[in-house]
Amino acid sequence: MIHLLIRILGGAAAVLVAAYVVPGIHVADFYVALIVAIMLGIIGITLKPILVILTLPITILTLGLFSFVINAGILWFVASFVEGFDIDSFLAALLGSFVISIVQWALHRIV
């Protein structure tokens, strides 16, 4: 249970870092970042595996780089549902998903 709580708080921190670093991402407060982290986790468990399987040929052709496009699409999708979390463009979502991935990886390595 503690591990799950740490992962959710780390995801919220990653969303806040992405909002600070990437100019096109806007987060109202920590509560909104927490909701976004939970939504990203739920969609990452349910919808992302289906998308990865459906786009497997193009992912293989791009040597796995298309997974960043899938992550950006999911991030942009979450921004359309969560009030207080806005993304201006797809490029901002792409950069934001890259930053979130790096921050979550770094936090996972530390913890």
Side-chain angles (χ1 to χ4, degrees):
M1 185 70 175
I2 297 292
H3 183 68
L4 178 65
L5 184 63
I6 290 172
R7 289 189 68 136
I8 292 172
L9 290 176
V15 169
L16 288 174
V17 168
Y20 182 73
V21 172
V22 179
I25 297 178
H26 311 285
V27 178
D29 56 359
F30 182 75
Y31 177 72
V32 172
L34 196 63
I35 297 297
V36 169
I38 291 170
M39 290 288 293
L40 285 175
I42 291 171
I43 291 175
I45 290 172
T46 57
L47 187 62
K48 188 175 177 182
I50 296 168
L51 290 174
V52 169
I53 289 172
L54 289 176
T55 60
L56 191 60
I58 195 166
T59 304
I60 291 171
L61 285 175
T62 60
L63 301 175
L65 293 177
F66 193 73
S67 63
F68 287 116
V69 175
I70 294 172
N71 289 340
I74 290 172
L75 188 65
W76 207 6
F77 180 70
V78 168
S80 67
F81 284 108
V82 178
E83 191 71 32
F85 179 60
D86 297 317
I87 298 177
D88 294 339
S89 66
F90 187 75
L91 182 63
L94 188 66
L95 292 173
S97 69
F98 186 68
V99 169
I100 289 172
S101 297
I102 289 176
V103 170
Q104 283 183 334
W105 173 80
L107 290 175
H108 180 59
R109 296 300 295 170
I110 291 171
V111 175

